[in-house]
Amino acid sequence: MARMKFICDSERCIECNGCVTACKNEHEIPWGVNRRRVVTLNDGVPGERSISVACMHCSDAPCMAVCPVNCFYRTDEGVVLHDKDICIGCGYCSYACPFGAPQFPASGTFGVRGKMDKCTFCAGGPEANGSEAEFEKYGRNRLAEGKLPACAEMCSTKALLAGDGDVVADIFRNRVVKRGKGAEVWGWGTAYGSKQAGQPGGAKS
């Protein structure tokens, strides 16, 4: 079974925000919630880079560890999803996540901010695949349709890669070898507890 992962190649990202727009459009995400965003590292100094950030679907997800009601679960493909019918909006997951992935539709204290929302790797939720209830709560289930996440498919420079972790790591590694630089993958070690994808032996986890 494939282990789904994200990689963002900072050498290719042009900060166009196409991935952000594709995600919001595909899932009809409400105003104020951004499942994916583009951030700039080392802004204004030599070596400045932009990367696309969302839930990385970690191998040892801290959000799952801290959730007091166990609303998180992992699919056979390694995608970390959550059940909005169980979520109580406590916000513990947002404090635990190193990527700032959990989003809430409102600000406020415990239970006031609403049900948590985050990137689903376009894999829907616990409802029946392709159902109206699934789309309303989690957006479109592209994985069930045999497609990859919309953000990666819409990336004009193919900076954002998504899919089987071994495959995307091989693609990235080949890029690094050809251009001779840019082997660093922001967040890979944090999310998957393995070597950088651009380094020898870094695809497995």
Side-chain angles (χ1 to χ4, degrees):
M1 179 68 70
R3 167 67 170 93
M4 297 298 177
K5 297 181 180 180
F6 280 121
I7 289 181
C8 184
D9 186 347
S10 62
E11 295 287 332
R12 287 193 174 207
C13 181
I14 58 174
E15 204 175 351
C16 68
N17 281 280
C19 54
V20 178
T21 303
C23 178
K24 290 188 77 72
N25 182 67
E26 187 78 359
H27 305 297
E28 298 182 9
I29 298 170
W31 183 261
V33 173
N34 288 304
R35 292 184 179 179
R36 179 166 289 283
R37 64 197 186 282
V38 176
V39 299
T40 302
L41 306 175
N42 302 319
D43 193 11
V45 300
E48 175 181 310
R49 294 285 186 273
S50 294
I51 54 171
S52 180
V53 182
C55 174
M56 293 289 281
H57 304 276
C58 302
S59 297
D60 185 16
C63 56
M64 295 181 75
V66 301
C67 180
V69 293
N70 295 318
C71 79
F72 291 94
Y73 63 98
R74 183 179 283 107
T75 70
D76 291 338
E77 295 174 318
V79 178
V80 177
L81 300 176
H82 69 295
D83 189 333
K84 288 189 177 184
D85 291 336
I86 298 176
C87 175
I88 57 174
C90 66
Y92 287 0
C93 55
S94 65
Y95 296 120
C97 178
F99 304 105
Q103 303 281 302
F104 293 88
S107 60
T109 55
F110 181 91
V112 177
R113 63 190 83 194
K115 304 288 187 179
M116 187 274 287
D117 190 87
K118 74 172 191 69
C119 162
T120 64
F121 209 91
C122 288
E127 280 79 5
N129 289 343
S131 66
E132 187 175 334
E134 181 185 51
F135 181 81
E136 184 178 335
K137 291 180 184 177
Y138 308 99
R140 186 172 165 196
N141 189 337
R142 292 173 58 91
L143 255 60
E145 299 171 6
K147 300 175 181 177
L148 290 174
C151 55
E153 286 202 350
M154 290 299 293
C155 181
S156 60
T157 62
K158 301 305 175 193
L160 184 61
L161 302 172
D164 184 332
D166 292 340
V167 174
V168 296
D170 284 341
I171 292 171
F172 181 75
R173 189 178 301 108
N174 289 333
R175 289 181 183 178
V176 172
V177 170
K178 286 181 181 179
R179 68 189 178 211
K181 63 174 184 175
E184 302 80 18
V185 183
W186 184 87
W188 182 274
T190 302
Y192 309 124
S194 58
K195 291 182 180 180
Q196 294 283 358
Q199 305 293 337
K204 309 295 182 182
S205 67

